[in-house]
Amino acid sequence: MNMEKSKKIKTSDLSLIDEVLSRSVDSVFPSKEKLKKELLSGRQMRVYVGIDPTAPYVHLGHATNFFLLKRLHKLGHKIIVLVGDFTAMIGDPSDKNAARIRLTKSEVKKNLKTYKEQIGKILNFEDKKNPIEFKFNSRWLSKLTFTDLADIASNFTVQQMIQRDAFERRLRENKPLYVHEFFYPLMQGYDSVALGADIEIGGTDQTFNMLAGRTLVEKMQEREKFVITTTLLEDPITGEKMMSKSRGTGIGMNDVPQEMYAKVMRLPDSGLLQCFIDCTELTKEEIAHILKNPPRESKMRLAHEIVKIYHSEKEATKAQEEFVRVFSNKDIPRILPKVELAGKETLENILIKEGVVSSKSEIRRLVESGGLKDMQTGEKIQDPKIVVSGSLILKIGKKRFLKIVTRTQKKE
C-alpha cells in the first residue's frame, strides 16, 4: 500500500480550483465544500482515474476525466492513471443488463498496448518535476488470497450489493446475476487502498464502485477518500451515451484525423454544449460565443478543436478541408476506414462485427431508407445478406464510408 507522506504545494490559483470543482463535475463525496477546504490546505493529494482496457482505444467519453486530472496536476497534486488490466478480466457490471464478456489476459494485453500514448495526448507523462504515474491493478489484485478477499468482502452486506441499480434491475427482470460480478466493486474499491488514494475520479456510472473504495479506505485505513463523479457524454434528448465501447459508438483518441473529424460531425446537435465542455479546454466564454453560430458551423469548430488536441492544428485543418470536399461535393474520402476479410462473409455480419451498426434491425432500417450504397457501382444495396468476396466501398447513411477487401485480393 502506498501511503507516502504528502508534500506541500501552492494553492494560489483559486479560479482553477473552482474549475476543478465545477467543470464536468456531477457530484463530490462527501461534499464540494470539504474537498475545496482540502484543496486550499496546500497538502499534495493523490488523485487517480481508473480505466479498463476493454477495447484497443480510449474514447472521448474518458477525456472528461483526464482533463480533470490535468487541472489537478497543474495545481501540483500527484496524479495516477490506473489501468485495470486485472479488473478487465472480471468485467465491470456497471450500467449493464447482462454480465460482461470476460476478457482473456492476451486480449487485455493487446488492447492496452497504446493506452499510455493515447492518454498522453492530454496528460504530460514527460513531466519530471511532478511525474504522472501509470500503474496496473494486476500488481496487487493478482496477489490477493482468499483470506484477503474475505476480509475485504466483510465490509459489505449482500443487501448493499443488490441495491445497485443494474443488479436490482436484473433481479427484478429475472435475469442472471453472477456471483463474480459482486467481486468487481470490491476490487475497484481495493485499488483506492493499494494506491493510498485521496481522490478518485470517474463517470456517474462508476459511483457505486468508487463509493465502495471510499468505504474500504475509511474502514481499512481510517482516513478520508474523496470521490468526484463526472458527467457522462449523453444526448440530452434521448438520454443515450454518445460514446460507448460496447455499442461501438466511441470516437477513439487514436482515430486518424479524417475519421475523427467525420465522427464528431455525426454527433447529435443536441449534445454540442456537453461535448465542448467535456472534450475541449475552451473557456465557457469561448464556447458560448461559438454556439451562437448555426449548429453545423459550431460542430465543425468542435471537430477541428478535437482533432487538434489529438493530432495537430495542421491535421485538423486538413481533416476539415477533406470533410468539406467529400460532403459538399459528394466525393469519396481519400482515406477510408478499412476492413480486411480472410474469406467470404455476408455484409450483414461484417457491419455488426465491426461495430458499424448495432443490430440487424438497424441494417434493415438502413436498407429500407436507401442508406446502404455501393459507391463503385452507384447502386443502393437491397439485400444486406449479400456475400462480399471482392472489394466494396460502402456508403452508410449520409456521412459514413467503409472499404471492405479480402486478403486474397491484391491491395491497392
Side-chain angles (χ1 to χ4, degrees):
M1 297 178 193
N2 197 326
M3 293 291 291
E4 65 183 38
K5 189 176 180 181
S6 61
K7 301 175 183 177
K8 284 288 183 179
I9 58 174
K10 294 180 180 179
T11 57
S12 57
D13 197 337
L14 297 180
S15 63
L16 187 53
I17 289 175
D18 287 337
E19 188 177 15
V20 162
L21 293 168
S22 60
R23 183 163 182 167
S24 302
V25 172
D26 181 84
S27 300
V28 176
F29 298 89
S31 71
K32 287 187 179 182
E33 292 73 23
K34 283 191 175 182
L35 180 54
K36 185 170 185 177
K37 184 178 179 180
E38 283 294 324
L39 292 174
L40 289 170
S41 72
R43 179 172 72 92
Q44 186 185 54
M45 304 178 80
R46 293 178 63 81
V47 191
Y48 87 99
V49 166
I51 180 170
D52 283 0
T54 53
Y57 64 92
V58 182
H59 64 61
L60 296 194
H62 297 116
T64 310
N65 298 327
F66 295 122
F67 279 125
L68 183 47
L69 281 185
K70 185 176 181 178
R71 291 174 203 125
L72 284 159
H73 189 239
K74 284 182 179 178
L75 287 170
H77 296 287
K78 174 57 66 177
I79 303 302
I80 304 165
V81 174
L82 179 66
V83 176
D85 58 330
F86 192 91
T87 40
M89 292 188 287
I90 301 300
D92 182 6
S94 295
D95 197 30
K96 296 297 167 190
N97 291 321
R100 273 191 186 272
I101 296 173
R102 295 174 63 191
L103 300 180
T104 65
K105 192 171 184 178
S106 60
E107 286 173 329
V108 169
K109 186 176 180 180
K110 182 180 178 181
N111 282 347
L112 63 80
K113 194 173 181 180
T114 64
Y115 266 41
K116 189 172 184 179
E117 179 185 343
Q118 293 179 57
I119 298 167
K121 300 289 186 178
I122 297 175
L123 296 176
N124 180 16
F125 287 107
E126 304 303 315
D127 190 307
K128 304 298 182 185
K129 292 182 179 179
N130 183 18
I132 296 175
E133 298 179 23
F134 194 78
K135 293 180 175 288
F136 301 88
N137 65 8
S138 60
R139 181 180 168 187
W140 48 84
L141 292 180
S142 63
K143 296 176 182 177
L144 292 177
T145 65
F146 233 112
T147 302
D148 294 328
L149 190 57
D151 288 341
I152 294 168
S154 68
N155 293 289
F156 303 92
T157 66
V158 171
Q159 287 88 341
Q160 285 175 302
M161 287 293 177
I162 61 177
Q163 283 173 1
R164 184 176 199 169
D165 289 349
F167 291 167
E168 202 172 37
R169 184 168 59 249
R170 280 157 62 185
L171 286 171
R172 188 170 59 249
E173 296 172 357
N174 202 29
K175 292 180 178 179
L177 181 59
Y178 295 91
V179 174
H180 79 271
E181 295 183 86
F182 286 151
F183 295 166
Y184 193 94
L186 301 182
M187 290 187 294
Q188 183 172 330
Y190 188 75
D191 287 342
S192 294
V193 174
L195 290 170
D198 297 301
I199 304 174
E200 182 180 5
I201 297 168
T204 52
D205 57 346
Q206 292 295 312
T207 303
F208 187 93
N209 297 337
M210 294 192 292
L211 290 179
R214 179 171 155 77
T215 297
L216 288 179
V217 166
E218 181 182 3
K219 293 189 175 183
M220 297 177 75
Q221 296 179 330
E222 297 182 340
R223 61 185 186 83
E224 180 75 274
K225 173 207 161 185
F226 291 91
V227 168
I228 301 177
T229 63
T230 54
T231 52
L232 299 178
L233 278 178
E234 293 178 335
D235 184 332
I237 294 177
T238 65
E240 291 185 354
K241 288 183 181 180
M242 289 187 279
M243 304 286 154
S244 170
K245 288 181 182 178
S246 57
R247 292 204 302 270
T249 58
I251 300 174
M253 294 181 184
N254 61 350
D255 281 344
V256 297
Q258 289 85 352
E259 181 67 8
M260 182 179 281
Y261 192 99
K263 284 182 178 180
V264 174
M265 292 302 293
R266 292 199 292 268
L267 293 172
D269 293 350
S270 53
L272 274 176
L273 173 60
Q274 198 63 48
C275 287
F276 270 113
I277 292 171
D278 291 350
C279 300
T280 77
E281 294 185 281
L282 296 173
T283 66
K284 290 181 181 179
E285 292 74 22
E286 288 172 320
I287 293 169
H289 180 72
I290 291 167
L291 291 177
K292 289 178 182 178
N293 296 314
R296 180 180 169 85
E297 285 183 37
S298 298
K299 200 181 292 184
M300 288 179 74
R301 175 62 190 278
L302 174 65
H304 187 280
E305 195 68 28
I306 286 173
V307 175
K308 183 175 75 172
I309 290 169
Y310 299 101
H311 296 282
S312 68
E313 178 85 45
K314 182 180 178 181
E315 291 294 342
T317 300
K318 283 170 62 178
Q320 183 165 302
E321 290 171 351
E322 174 74 355
F323 181 85
V324 172
R325 183 187 72 81
V326 170
F327 296 109
S328 294
N329 303 332
K330 302 188 185 302
D331 292 337
I332 298 174
R334 294 188 181 97
I335 299 175
L336 294 168
K338 186 166 68 173
V339 174
E340 291 189 0
L341 306 177
K344 296 180 180 180
E345 197 167 349
T346 66
L347 178 60
E348 182 178 71
N349 286 344
I350 295 166
L351 295 179
I352 291 175
K353 186 170 68 176
E354 294 299 321
V356 177
V357 294
S358 59
S359 64
K360 290 182 180 180
S361 59
E362 185 180 347
I363 296 175
R364 186 171 63 251
R365 288 193 294 272
L366 277 168
V367 169
E368 290 171 354
S369 64
L372 283 181
K373 186 176 181 181
D374 183 337
M375 295 301 290
Q376 291 163 307
T377 65
E379 298 292 327
K380 292 179 181 177
I381 294 174
Q382 304 295 333
D383 181 11
K385 295 185 184 293
I386 59 170
V387 176
V388 180
S389 58
S391 69
L392 175 65
I393 296 178
L394 189 68
K395 186 176 183 181
I396 306 136
K398 294 181 179 180
K399 298 179 180 179
R400 290 184 288 174
F401 291 86
L402 183 68
K403 184 174 184 178
I404 304 171
V405 298
T406 56
R407 290 177 189 164
T408 54
Q409 184 184 2
K410 186 178 179 180
K411 297 179 184 179
E412 296 176 5

